Amino acid sequence: FMVQTRFNKENTPCDDCILWTVCLLDLAICVASMFTRVPDEIRLISDCLQISVFGCMHTQQQIEIEEIKSKGYNGMNPRILQVLPPAMQSMYGQGKFGGGGGGQMPPQMIGMHQMPQPMHQMQMPQPMQVPVQVQCGGCRQIFGSPGRGMTVACPACGMHNAVPP
Protein backbone atom coordinates (compact mmCIF):
# COMPACT_ATOMS: atom_id res chain seq x y z
CA PHE A 1 0.00 0.00 0.00
CA MET A 2 2.73 2.49 0.96
CA VAL A 3 4.73 2.00 -2.24
CA GLN A 4 1.62 2.15 -4.39
CA THR A 5 0.21 5.34 -2.88
CA ARG A 6 3.53 7.11 -2.38
CA PHE A 7 4.89 6.37 -5.85
CA ASN A 8 1.65 6.10 -7.88
CA LYS A 9 2.04 2.41 -8.74
CA GLU A 10 -0.84 0.08 -9.62
CA ASN A 11 -1.35 -3.67 -9.76
CA THR A 12 -1.59 -5.14 -13.22
CA PRO A 13 -4.63 -7.31 -14.06
CA CYS A 14 -2.30 -10.32 -13.79
CA ASP A 15 -1.26 -9.25 -10.27
CA ASP A 16 -4.90 -8.94 -9.24
CA CYS A 17 -5.72 -12.36 -10.71
CA ILE A 18 -2.86 -14.02 -8.83
CA LEU A 19 -3.78 -12.33 -5.55
CA TRP A 20 -7.45 -13.27 -5.89
CA THR A 21 -6.55 -16.88 -6.77
CA VAL A 22 -4.37 -17.28 -3.68
CA CYS A 23 -7.00 -15.65 -1.49
CA LEU A 24 -9.86 -17.77 -2.84
CA LEU A 25 -7.81 -20.97 -2.55
CA ASP A 26 -7.16 -20.25 1.12
CA LEU A 27 -10.84 -19.42 1.64
CA ALA A 28 -11.92 -22.66 -0.06
CA ILE A 29 -9.60 -24.69 2.19
CA CYS A 30 -10.98 -22.88 5.25
CA VAL A 31 -14.60 -23.56 4.24
CA ALA A 32 -13.85 -27.18 3.32
CA SER A 33 -12.20 -27.74 6.71
CA MET A 34 -15.53 -26.89 8.40
CA PHE A 35 -17.17 -29.90 6.74
CA THR A 36 -14.37 -32.41 6.28
CA ARG A 37 -10.76 -33.07 7.16
CA VAL A 38 -8.50 -31.30 4.65
CA PRO A 39 -5.20 -33.14 4.16
CA ASP A 40 -2.14 -31.32 5.48
CA GLU A 41 -0.54 -31.57 2.04
CA ILE A 42 -3.29 -29.35 0.58
CA ARG A 43 -2.73 -26.75 3.30
CA LEU A 44 1.04 -26.90 2.74
CA ILE A 45 0.61 -26.43 -1.02
CA SER A 46 -1.58 -23.39 -0.33
CA ASP A 47 1.02 -22.01 2.11
CA CYS A 48 3.84 -22.54 -0.42
CA LEU A 49 1.80 -20.77 -3.10
CA GLN A 50 1.12 -17.82 -0.77
CA ILE A 51 4.77 -17.53 0.24
CA SER A 52 5.84 -17.64 -3.42
CA VAL A 53 3.39 -14.88 -4.34
CA PHE A 54 4.52 -12.73 -1.39
CA GLY A 55 8.16 -13.22 -2.39
CA CYS A 56 7.38 -12.13 -5.95
CA MET A 57 5.47 -9.10 -4.66
CA HIS A 58 8.39 -8.04 -2.45
CA THR A 59 10.82 -8.47 -5.34
CA GLN A 60 8.59 -6.43 -7.63
CA GLN A 61 8.34 -3.74 -4.95
CA GLN A 62 12.13 -3.64 -4.56
CA ILE A 63 12.58 -3.27 -8.33
CA GLU A 64 10.12 -0.35 -8.34
CA ILE A 65 11.94 1.32 -5.43
CA GLU A 66 15.32 0.92 -7.16
CA GLU A 67 13.85 2.50 -10.32
CA ILE A 68 12.53 5.43 -8.27
CA LYS A 69 15.92 5.84 -6.56
CA SER A 70 17.65 5.99 -9.93
CA LYS A 71 15.19 8.57 -11.34
CA GLY A 72 14.75 10.58 -8.13
CA TYR A 73 11.73 11.19 -5.90
CA ASN A 74 9.87 14.47 -5.89
CA GLY A 75 7.33 13.73 -3.16
CA MET A 76 3.87 12.23 -3.23
CA ASN A 77 1.64 13.24 -6.12
CA PRO A 78 -0.76 15.89 -4.69
CA ARG A 79 -3.69 14.20 -6.47
CA ILE A 80 -2.99 10.98 -4.57
CA LEU A 81 -2.60 12.86 -1.30
CA GLN A 82 -6.00 14.51 -1.79
CA VAL A 83 -7.83 11.17 -2.06
CA LEU A 84 -6.23 9.62 1.03
CA PRO A 85 -8.35 9.47 4.19
CA PRO A 86 -7.93 12.57 6.40
CA ALA A 87 -5.97 10.63 9.04
CA MET A 88 -3.39 9.52 6.45
CA GLN A 89 -3.18 13.04 5.00
CA SER A 90 -2.42 14.28 8.49
CA MET A 91 0.24 11.58 9.01
CA TYR A 92 1.88 12.53 5.71
CA GLY A 93 1.82 16.21 6.58
CA GLN A 94 3.40 15.50 9.96
CA GLY A 95 6.02 13.12 8.57
CA LYS A 96 4.73 10.08 10.49
CA PHE A 97 5.10 7.52 7.68
CA GLY A 98 8.30 6.14 9.24
CA GLY A 99 11.92 6.53 8.26
CA GLY A 100 14.32 9.05 9.63
CA GLY A 101 15.61 8.63 13.12
CA GLY A 102 17.51 10.16 15.96
CA GLY A 103 20.98 11.52 15.57
CA GLN A 104 20.39 12.60 11.98
CA MET A 105 21.12 16.12 10.80
CA PRO A 106 18.10 18.26 9.82
CA PRO A 107 17.44 18.66 6.08
CA GLN A 108 18.78 21.79 4.44
CA MET A 109 17.18 23.68 1.60
CA ILE A 110 19.82 24.37 -1.02
CA GLY A 111 20.50 28.07 -1.46
CA MET A 112 18.55 29.00 1.68
CA HIS A 113 20.02 30.16 4.98
CA GLN A 114 17.23 29.36 7.39
CA MET A 115 16.74 26.67 9.99
CA PRO A 116 14.00 24.09 9.41
CA GLN A 117 10.98 24.42 11.66
CA PRO A 118 9.87 21.58 13.93
CA MET A 119 7.62 19.03 12.24
CA HIS A 120 4.59 19.87 14.39
CA GLN A 121 4.55 23.31 12.73
CA MET A 122 4.51 21.86 9.19
CA GLN A 123 1.40 22.44 7.13
CA MET A 124 -0.25 20.24 4.54
CA PRO A 125 1.19 20.70 1.04
CA GLN A 126 -0.75 23.13 -1.11
CA PRO A 127 -1.39 22.37 -4.78
CA MET A 128 0.59 24.32 -7.38
CA GLN A 129 3.64 24.96 -5.19
CA VAL A 130 7.03 25.79 -6.66
CA PRO A 131 9.48 22.84 -6.52
CA VAL A 132 12.53 23.30 -4.28
CA GLN A 133 15.84 21.47 -3.85
CA VAL A 134 16.42 19.73 -0.48
CA GLN A 135 19.53 18.16 1.00
CA CYS A 136 18.80 15.03 3.04
CA GLY A 137 19.63 15.29 6.73
CA GLY A 138 20.83 11.67 6.75
CA CYS A 139 22.86 10.92 3.62
CA ARG A 140 23.25 14.56 2.45
CA GLN A 141 21.96 13.76 -1.09
CA ILE A 142 20.25 16.63 -2.91
CA PHE A 143 16.79 15.90 -4.33
CA GLY A 144 13.64 17.74 -5.34
CA SER A 145 10.56 18.50 -3.24
CA PRO A 146 7.29 19.55 -4.92
CA GLY A 147 6.97 22.47 -2.52
CA ARG A 148 7.57 23.91 0.94
CA GLY A 149 5.97 23.08 4.29
CA MET A 150 5.81 19.31 3.74
CA THR A 151 7.73 16.16 4.51
CA VAL A 152 9.47 14.28 1.69
CA ALA A 153 11.38 11.00 1.66
CA CYS A 154 14.96 10.91 0.44
CA PRO A 155 15.18 8.69 -2.67
CA ALA A 156 18.62 7.44 -1.61
CA CYS A 157 18.18 6.48 2.06
CA GLY A 158 14.40 6.75 2.62
CA MET A 159 14.74 9.24 5.50
CA HIS A 160 11.79 11.62 5.79
CA ASN A 161 12.87 15.26 5.63
CA ALA A 162 10.71 18.19 6.76
CA VAL A 163 10.87 20.97 4.18
CA PRO A 164 10.50 24.39 5.85
CA PRO A 165 7.61 26.63 4.73
Side-chain angles (χ1 to χ4, degrees):
F1 174 77
M2 293 295 293
V3 171
Q4 289 181 322
T5 56
R6 178 71 56 92
F7 302 115
N8 198 23
K9 301 293 180 181
E10 295 182 7
N11 285 346
T12 65
C14 183
D15 292 334
D16 288 337
C17 181
I18 291 169
L19 292 170
W20 273 106
T21 300
V22 170
C23 182
L24 292 175
L25 175 63
D26 196 49
L27 180 64
I29 292 171
C30 182
V31 170
S33 68
M34 290 189 284
F35 301 105
T36 187
R37 184 185 174 286
V38 176
D40 289 337
E41 293 80 9
I42 300 293
R43 290 180 190 272
L44 292 174
I45 289 171
S46 175
D47 289 345
C48 287
L49 185 59
Q50 284 183 3
I51 291 170
S52 298
V53 169
F54 294 155
C56 289
M57 289 172 60
H58 285 289
T59 301
Q60 185 176 13
Q61 174 179 304
Q62 185 62 34
I63 290 168
E64 295 289 344
I65 290 172
E66 291 300 323
E67 179 183 336
I68 290 164
K69 282 182 178 181
S70 70
K71 291 181 179 179
Y73 174 60
N74 295 320
M76 185 185 293
N77 184 331
R79 290 180 292 173
I80 295 173
L81 184 62
Q82 291 172 353
V83 297
L84 289 176
M88 291 191 77
Q89 289 181 8
S90 176
M91 286 187 332
Y92 183 76
Q94 295 172 9
K96 293 185 179 177
F97 273 146
Q104 305 279 340
M105 295 180 64
Q108 298 294 319
M109 292 182 59
I110 304 305
M112 300 295 290
H113 299 291
Q114 57 178 244
M115 292 299 295
Q117 296 180 2
M119 291 176 87
H120 61 82
Q121 294 179 0
M122 296 290 111
Q123 298 177 1
M124 292 298 292
Q126 301 296 320
M128 305 300 288
Q129 292 185 350
V130 178
V132 294
Q133 293 291 308
V134 177
Q135 185 174 24
C136 178
C139 71
R140 313 306 293 164
Q141 177 173 329
I142 297 172
F143 62 97
S145 169
R148 301 173 187 270
M150 62 181 65
T151 300
V152 293
C154 174
C157 69
M159 179 178 171
H160 286 78
N161 294 274
V163 181

